[in-house]
Amino acid sequence: MASRVRFSRTIFSPLPSASALIPSGSLPPASLSLPLSNPKPYRRLRLPFPPSHLPPPRSSPAGSASPVAAMSSSSYDKELAAAKKAASLAARLCQKVQKALLTSDVQSKADKSPVTVADYGSQAIVSLVLRKELPSESFSLVAEEDSADLRKDEAQETLKRITELVNDTISSEYSMSVSDEDVLIAIDSGKSEGGPVGQHWVLDPIDGTKGFLRGDQYAIALALLDEGKVVLGVLGCPNLPHTSIANLDRHSQNKIGCLFYAKTGDGAYMQSLSDPSSNAKIHVTATENPADASFFESYEAAHSLHDLSKAIAEKLGVQAPPVRIDSQAKYGALARGDGAIYLRFPHKGYREKIWDHAAGCIVVAEAGGFATDAAGNALDFSKGRYLDLDTGIIVTNKKLMPSLLNAVQESIKAKNQSASHL
Ligand SMILES: Nc1ncnc2c1ncn2[C@@H]1O[C@H](COP(=O)(O)O)[C@@H](OP(=O)(O)O)[C@H]1O
Ligand SMILES: [Mg+2]
């Protein structure tokens, strides 16, 4: 029996259930919009977004050694500060929407995954805040959403609602206001292809959209690539309890809302989303014995082969049932030692995107863990928007990795053999 980690129904303020959602494509009645705070006398913001192309990324001098390896510990300080601010504000927007989750917030993308006002709003906020905080940098953003659906006539009410939400959220930090067009341009700044040269921000504005709609876990995941390597990452996890989810019953009244962050060579940290002064260094568990380990996997069976994870856990000698939660909150929870292993085996043919793992990977790595594919290769974020992987992703501490890798490879072999006998 899997242990399903579901927090919001008990410790979240009243939330309409996902089953109350009306069919996609419906538009929000204006009267259902979230209430906005009193507008300030805004200065109109003119953003330096080129609508149809991005400035060329900075590249390193030809022949120079890896810029990442050569960085001092103060490198990326201002980028990390900007990323934390961007993810925190985006999390605030998402929290507002999740609390007031309206049927009309659901749209449908061509791939049928639910996309919400919050996905678009979160992406717009991160893009706007990064540009505002790092104005002199060239800007490249690889992000999940684009504005194509929002530009359609039938989406204009939704777009207005997103713009209102964005303005309402950023007004706590900035005296500026953005227009619908600014929002569309900010969203579309995420069309970069990434790659091995220069710096690229990598964003999943709401990772775990299905969890978000269910009222469960989701994350705002933002990372920075420099010359193909992840150099910093931030994970906003608005519904994750401050203390371990391994002891959920004891802590069910606990506060929620965590911001994980890490920068290369500096360790990993967690702070409360609502109290930035509360930060603490985090570490993966030191568990060496699989019998003491527990493992995370996707809540959605469509995202990961639960049968294969079960076989691997049995082979390894893991006793505990799987902990199923949505999003990169799994990486955050593993980085602070709530569990020791994360197993992800998508169905055949699925291509993992870099924004689903970049921030989580550096948070875990800086906390002393390690993410590889099923063949034991480190994940390569330098190949564009996708990760080219062998079979799946496994994450654990360095002591457990060799035996985990062994159990993974034997279990995959056994699965393939039994499939070939059918
Ligand atoms: N068939 C599939 N197999 C594996 N991952 C999938 C998938 N369909 C969607 N996903 C990815 O799984 C992510 C959620 O991960 P998890 O299962 O850990 O919660 C989704 O992120 P989004 O919710 O941002 O679209 C999406 O990128
Ligand atoms: Mg995602």
Side-chain angles (χ1 to χ4, degrees), residues 12 21 47 49 62 88-89 112 120 171 175 189-190 206 214 217 224 246 258 285 358 390 393 411:
F12 216 62
L21 300 173
L47 291 160
F49 283 114
S88 301
L89 279 172
K112 299 280 187 263
Y120 292 121
S171 67
S175 310
S189 72
I206 293 189
R214 259 189 268 110
Q217 294 301 316
L224 179 63
C258 303
T285 168
D390 186 332
I393 293 178
S411 303

mmCIF file of all heavy atoms in Angstrom, residues 12 21 47 49 62 88-89 112 120 171 175 189-190 206 214 217 224 246 258 285 358 390 393 411:
data_model
loop_
_atom_site.group_PDB
_atom_site.id
_atom_site.type_symbol
_atom_site.label_atom_id
_atom_site.label_comp_id
_atom_site.label_asym_id
_atom_site.label_seq_id
_atom_site.Cartn_x
_atom_site.Cartn_y
_atom_site.Cartn_z
ATOM 1 N N PHE A 12 -4.720 23.038 4.791
ATOM 2 C CA PHE A 12 -4.829 24.162 3.880
ATOM 3 C C PHE A 12 -6.180 24.817 4.115
ATOM 4 O O PHE A 12 -7.125 24.170 4.526
ATOM 5 C CB PHE A 12 -4.756 23.605 2.455
ATOM 6 C CG PHE A 12 -4.039 24.493 1.508
ATOM 7 C CD1 PHE A 12 -2.709 24.787 1.714
ATOM 8 C CD2 PHE A 12 -4.682 25.005 0.401
ATOM 9 C CE1 PHE A 12 -2.026 25.596 0.823
ATOM 10 C CE2 PHE A 12 -4.010 25.806 -0.481
ATOM 11 C CZ PHE A 12 -2.678 26.102 -0.270
ATOM 12 N N LEU A 21 -14.252 21.303 -10.957
ATOM 13 C CA LEU A 21 -13.794 22.082 -12.102
ATOM 14 C C LEU A 21 -14.741 21.875 -13.273
ATOM 15 O O LEU A 21 -15.128 20.768 -13.572
ATOM 16 C CB LEU A 21 -12.384 21.643 -12.504
ATOM 17 C CG LEU A 21 -11.338 21.817 -11.419
ATOM 18 C CD1 LEU A 21 -10.033 21.200 -11.873
ATOM 19 C CD2 LEU A 21 -11.139 23.283 -11.120
ATOM 20 N N LEU A 47 9.144 47.168 -20.514
ATOM 21 C CA LEU A 47 10.126 46.109 -20.318
ATOM 22 C C LEU A 47 11.012 45.935 -21.529
ATOM 23 O O LEU A 47 10.553 46.081 -22.658
ATOM 24 C CB LEU A 47 9.398 44.791 -20.038
ATOM 25 C CG LEU A 47 8.725 44.814 -18.688
ATOM 26 C CD1 LEU A 47 7.653 43.756 -18.631
ATOM 27 C CD2 LEU A 47 9.751 44.599 -17.602
ATOM 28 N N PHE A 49 11.843 43.509 -23.129
ATOM 29 C CA PHE A 49 11.723 42.214 -23.795
ATOM 30 C C PHE A 49 11.650 42.380 -25.292
ATOM 31 O O PHE A 49 10.743 43.036 -25.784
ATOM 32 C CB PHE A 49 10.430 41.505 -23.370
ATOM 33 C CG PHE A 49 10.500 40.892 -22.033
ATOM 34 C CD1 PHE A 49 9.716 41.372 -21.015
ATOM 35 C CD2 PHE A 49 11.342 39.829 -21.784
ATOM 36 C CE1 PHE A 49 9.760 40.809 -19.767
ATOM 37 C CE2 PHE A 49 11.390 39.269 -20.535
ATOM 38 C CZ PHE A 49 10.600 39.764 -19.525
ATOM 39 N N ALA A 62 36.831 31.762 -25.797
ATOM 40 C CA ALA A 62 37.199 30.507 -26.429
ATOM 41 C C ALA A 62 38.406 29.897 -25.732
ATOM 42 O O ALA A 62 39.343 30.580 -25.361
ATOM 43 C CB ALA A 62 37.524 30.755 -27.891
ATOM 44 N N SER A 88 9.611 33.120 -4.960
ATOM 45 C CA SER A 88 8.733 33.405 -3.815
ATOM 46 C C SER A 88 7.487 34.169 -4.256
ATOM 47 O O SER A 88 6.370 33.878 -3.812
ATOM 48 C CB SER A 88 9.471 34.229 -2.757
ATOM 49 O OG SER A 88 10.603 33.532 -2.302
ATOM 50 N N LEU A 89 7.685 35.163 -5.141
ATOM 51 C CA LEU A 89 6.522 35.923 -5.624
ATOM 52 C C LEU A 89 5.613 35.033 -6.477
ATOM 53 O O LEU A 89 4.389 35.103 -6.378
ATOM 54 C CB LEU A 89 6.980 37.139 -6.426
ATOM 55 C CG LEU A 89 7.392 38.347 -5.593
ATOM 56 C CD1 LEU A 89 8.005 39.430 -6.476
ATOM 57 C CD2 LEU A 89 6.203 38.921 -4.825
ATOM 58 N N LYS A 112 -3.236 18.006 -23.625
ATOM 59 C CA LYS A 112 -4.305 17.681 -22.688
ATOM 60 C C LYS A 112 -3.912 17.830 -21.223
ATOM 61 O O LYS A 112 -4.697 17.546 -20.351
ATOM 62 C CB LYS A 112 -4.842 16.249 -22.911
ATOM 63 C CG LYS A 112 -5.437 16.022 -24.289
ATOM 64 C CD LYS A 112 -6.869 16.586 -24.350
ATOM 65 C CE LYS A 112 -7.538 16.229 -25.646
ATOM 66 N NZ LYS A 112 -7.481 17.265 -26.658
ATOM 67 N N TYR A 120 0.584 30.307 -16.116
ATOM 68 C CA TYR A 120 0.960 31.470 -16.924
ATOM 69 C C TYR A 120 1.418 32.628 -16.041
ATOM 70 O O TYR A 120 2.407 33.300 -16.331
ATOM 71 C CB TYR A 120 -0.233 31.929 -17.770
ATOM 72 C CG TYR A 120 -0.642 30.984 -18.865
ATOM 73 C CD1 TYR A 120 -1.931 30.455 -18.910
ATOM 74 C CD2 TYR A 120 0.236 30.635 -19.883
ATOM 75 C CE1 TYR A 120 -2.336 29.610 -19.932
ATOM 76 C CE2 TYR A 120 -0.161 29.786 -20.912
ATOM 77 C CZ TYR A 120 -1.444 29.279 -20.932
ATOM 78 O OH TYR A 120 -1.844 28.445 -21.933
ATOM 79 N N SER A 171 2.851 43.961 -6.765
ATOM 80 C CA SER A 171 2.701 45.284 -6.137
ATOM 81 C C SER A 171 3.273 45.309 -4.721
ATOM 82 O O SER A 171 3.578 46.372 -4.194
ATOM 83 C CB SER A 171 1.240 45.722 -6.124
ATOM 84 O OG SER A 171 0.518 44.872 -5.256
ATOM 85 N N SER A 175 6.835 49.105 -7.506
ATOM 86 C CA SER A 175 5.841 50.100 -7.900
ATOM 87 C C SER A 175 5.759 50.093 -9.411
ATOM 88 O O SER A 175 6.273 50.992 -10.080
ATOM 89 C CB SER A 175 6.258 51.496 -7.462
ATOM 90 O OG SER A 175 6.609 51.467 -6.138
ATOM 91 N N SER A 189 9.075 35.011 -23.366
ATOM 92 C CA SER A 189 10.536 35.074 -23.237
ATOM 93 C C SER A 189 11.085 33.706 -22.840
ATOM 94 O O SER A 189 12.285 33.487 -22.846
ATOM 95 C CB SER A 189 10.942 36.124 -22.210
ATOM 96 O OG SER A 189 10.641 35.671 -20.909
ATOM 97 N N GLY A 190 10.196 32.767 -22.508
ATOM 98 C CA GLY A 190 10.637 31.425 -22.114
ATOM 99 C C GLY A 190 10.849 30.470 -23.268
ATOM 100 O O GLY A 190 10.961 29.264 -23.072
ATOM 101 N N ILE A 206 4.785 25.952 -12.766
ATOM 102 C CA ILE A 206 4.152 25.082 -11.767
ATOM 103 C C ILE A 206 4.490 23.662 -12.168
ATOM 104 O O ILE A 206 3.960 23.130 -13.150
ATOM 105 C CB ILE A 206 2.621 25.212 -11.706
ATOM 106 C CG1 ILE A 206 2.229 26.588 -11.195
ATOM 107 C CG2 ILE A 206 2.036 24.149 -10.765
ATOM 108 C CD1 ILE A 206 0.751 26.734 -10.898
ATOM 109 N N ARG A 214 -5.336 19.184 -7.796
ATOM 110 C CA ARG A 214 -5.909 18.301 -6.758
ATOM 111 C C ARG A 214 -5.849 18.940 -5.377
ATOM 112 O O ARG A 214 -6.405 18.434 -4.418
ATOM 113 C CB ARG A 214 -5.113 16.989 -6.709
ATOM 114 C CG ARG A 214 -5.750 15.813 -7.394
ATOM 115 C CD ARG A 214 -4.970 14.535 -7.075
ATOM 116 N NE ARG A 214 -3.958 14.268 -8.056
ATOM 117 C CZ ARG A 214 -2.652 14.364 -7.878
ATOM 118 N NH1 ARG A 214 -2.157 14.737 -6.703
ATOM 119 N NH2 ARG A 214 -1.829 14.098 -8.840
ATOM 120 N N GLN A 217 0.678 18.562 -3.697
ATOM 121 C CA GLN A 217 1.993 19.200 -3.838
ATOM 122 C C GLN A 217 2.236 19.736 -5.252
ATOM 123 O O GLN A 217 1.779 19.164 -6.247
ATOM 124 C CB GLN A 217 3.104 18.199 -3.501
ATOM 125 C CG GLN A 217 3.110 17.779 -2.056
ATOM 126 C CD GLN A 217 3.286 18.953 -1.117
ATOM 127 O OE1 GLN A 217 4.123 19.823 -1.345
ATOM 128 N NE2 GLN A 217 2.501 18.979 -0.050
ATOM 129 N N LEU A 224 19.548 27.985 -12.935
ATOM 130 C CA LEU A 224 20.390 28.703 -13.901
ATOM 131 C C LEU A 224 21.440 27.742 -14.437
ATOM 132 O O LEU A 224 22.155 27.082 -13.671
ATOM 133 C CB LEU A 224 21.072 29.903 -13.222
ATOM 134 C CG LEU A 224 21.997 30.735 -14.127
ATOM 135 C CD1 LEU A 224 21.237 31.399 -15.272
ATOM 136 C CD2 LEU A 224 22.737 31.811 -13.308
ATOM 137 N N ALA A 246 8.050 12.426 6.535
ATOM 138 C CA ALA A 246 8.146 11.023 6.948
ATOM 139 C C ALA A 246 7.286 10.771 8.198
ATOM 140 O O ALA A 246 6.810 9.671 8.426
ATOM 141 C CB ALA A 246 9.595 10.656 7.241
ATOM 142 N N CYS A 258 7.715 25.841 1.786
ATOM 143 C CA CYS A 258 9.184 25.782 1.893
ATOM 144 C C CYS A 258 9.827 26.336 0.620
ATOM 145 O O CYS A 258 9.325 26.113 -0.487
ATOM 146 C CB CYS A 258 9.650 24.332 2.043
ATOM 147 S SG CYS A 258 8.918 23.489 3.444
ATOM 148 N N THR A 285 19.828 12.213 3.802
ATOM 149 C CA THR A 285 19.997 11.252 4.887
ATOM 150 C C THR A 285 21.317 10.490 4.726
ATOM 151 O O THR A 285 21.788 10.282 3.607
ATOM 152 C CB THR A 285 18.812 10.265 4.926
ATOM 153 O OG1 THR A 285 19.151 9.209 5.799
ATOM 154 C CG2 THR A 285 18.508 9.684 3.582
ATOM 155 N N ALA A 358 16.145 20.320 -13.328
ATOM 156 C CA ALA A 358 17.359 21.128 -13.121
ATOM 157 C C ALA A 358 17.456 21.662 -11.695
ATOM 158 O O ALA A 358 18.474 21.465 -11.005
ATOM 159 C CB ALA A 358 17.401 22.274 -14.131
ATOM 160 N N ASP A 390 18.962 7.529 -20.421
ATOM 161 C CA ASP A 390 18.799 6.095 -20.507
ATOM 162 C C ASP A 390 17.746 5.681 -19.473
ATOM 163 O O ASP A 390 17.998 5.632 -18.275
ATOM 164 C CB ASP A 390 20.144 5.414 -20.219
ATOM 165 C CG ASP A 390 20.049 3.907 -20.442
ATOM 166 O OD1 ASP A 390 18.951 3.352 -20.281
ATOM 167 O OD2 ASP A 390 21.071 3.298 -20.787
ATOM 168 N N ILE A 393 15.253 8.080 -14.049
ATOM 169 C CA ILE A 393 16.073 8.919 -13.166
ATOM 170 C C ILE A 393 16.032 8.333 -11.764
ATOM 171 O O ILE A 393 14.963 7.962 -11.260
ATOM 172 C CB ILE A 393 15.544 10.370 -13.164
ATOM 173 C CG1 ILE A 393 15.749 10.994 -14.550
ATOM 174 C CG2 ILE A 393 16.245 11.205 -12.084
ATOM 175 C CD1 ILE A 393 15.217 12.402 -14.699
ATOM 176 N N SER A 411 16.585 -5.116 -12.128
ATOM 177 C CA SER A 411 15.116 -5.115 -12.251
ATOM 178 C C SER A 411 14.690 -4.765 -13.668
ATOM 179 O O SER A 411 13.723 -5.330 -14.192
ATOM 180 C CB SER A 411 14.499 -4.117 -11.262
ATOM 181 O OG SER A 411 14.888 -4.422 -9.959
#
